[in-house]
Amino acid sequence: MSVIRPAVTVFLLAVLAGTVLGDSIFDQSGIGRDVIPAVGHTRALAGAVTASKDPYSCSILNPFGAALADKITISMGFSHTGTKTKNAEEEMRTVTTIFPSVALTVPLKGFSVMTGLFLEKQGRLSLTMRDTAYSDEGYDIDYRREASVHSVPIFVSAAVIPRLIVSGGILISFLDIREKTTTDFISDELVDGRDVDDTYATGESFAGGFLLDLDRVRLGALFRTGTDLDATLERENRYAGIWSSEDFTISSDQALSAGLWINPARQVTIEADYHRNPWADVTIDDVSVTAKTVERWSVGARYEGDYLWSASKYPLVAGYYRQPLAWESDLTGEITEEFWSLGTSIPIGDERASISIAVEMGRRQAQNTDDLHETMYGFSVSVSATEAWRREIRR
């Protein structure tokens, strides 16, 4: 029986346990939070995977491990994060489930193809205002915004010489923003409003990179071109029946990931990564809409010995990253986010599949005030499996 079927079942049951709620006080643009893929050990290593050769951890950040896959490899994962927010004297709790991360590697003769579906950027914004300045004509306004960027990479990877893997391909990106404004007039003589703005955008970019393996040291780098997305904004007033459409262009910046992997001891590996997010510097018809570049610094460590832990079978994985968020103001100063993670993997199906889990804890902090900060805690789950191309035919 195929090992992929029970692995997919476990993954779907885990996803069904999640809920989607809440937002962050630091998502003022409604699209301010980077998402690290939840495949293999990627989140347990805090995204420090650029120089990884693990086919299970192949993602939009690292296609190089696909070149070493000798079987079809599929990884699926999601993350679930709770947030405790302090906004001045008010404390809020939110919960967010981020789904999906799906990666598929197919080995062919002389090269491998890696593809999947990855959420790269996500944000939510919720505001409520009350205005009674116009005598008896007071009103309440509820504004909500949800935005996301999903990308589908199609990478081809090959080992051109035993120590050098090269990879390149195309990334197809989809941006979706939905804004909803509800106006509730206190006076029954006035007409309430419900405006819905939907923005859809698609575009392509290209990427290429290499992984150089020097036994106890590996160097990896992946460059990604900017993206021009053809966008359409549709506006609709649900009460008045007014509809309009507008076309424009959304452009992202270039991106770069670079990683250094070292093996200082037989049972320990360490990796340090730099990643520049392409969706931090965004323009709409050449007008900038974000405040700063987001550059993430990550470090991850893996232990595979048997001292205090049976890590030869269940590797112990830890990670840390730090990065700014995509906006700041005179009130807050720079907003920084830092995260710690700890995880392991459990082999299943005669070790042709594994479940990777990680617990996570982090915080967001405003530079200029202690009254704006968030504490985050959560977990991620990834199910990975391999399947041979051919099966023995019994007669």
Side-chain angles (χ1 to χ4, degrees), residues 153 172 177 186 193 236 242:
I172 305 170
I177 302 176
I186 295 176
E236 180 181 4
I242 301 173

Side-chain angles (χ1 to χ4, degrees), residues 145-184:
R145 178 176 182 174
E146 296 186 7
S148 61
V149 180
H150 288 80
S151 292
V152 174
I154 304 175
F155 282 108
V156 175
S157 301
V160 294
I161 59 176
R163 294 186 179 274
L164 179 63
I165 297 174
V166 296
S167 183
I170 187 173
L171 300 99
I172 305 170
S173 299
F174 309 87
L175 182 146
D176 184 17
I177 302 176
R178 183 175 179 84
E179 301 176 69
K180 181 179 178 181
T181 304
T182 302
T183 305
D184 181 13

Side-chain angles (χ1 to χ4, degrees), residues 200-272:
Y200 311 96
T202 60
E204 300 83 31
S205 60
F206 299 91
F210 69 92
L211 177 64
L212 180 63
D213 190 348
L214 303 174
D215 291 332
R216 302 190 70 169
V217 176
R218 293 201 297 257
L219 301 172
L222 185 68
F223 174 77
R224 175 173 171 177
T225 65
T227 307
D228 289 332
L229 299 99
D230 297 324
T232 299
L233 168 62
E234 296 182 353
R235 294 189 176 97
E236 180 181 4
N237 184 291
R238 294 292 174 85
Y239 285 96
I242 301 173
W243 181 89
S244 65
S245 178
E246 177 184 354
D247 295 331
F248 56 99
T249 300
I250 299 176
S251 301
S252 72
D253 202 358
Q254 301 170 347
L256 174 66
S257 296
L260 169 66
W261 177 97
I262 59 175
N263 180 209
R266 184 175 61 88
Q267 300 167 340
V268 177
T269 58
I270 299 173
E271 182 170 353

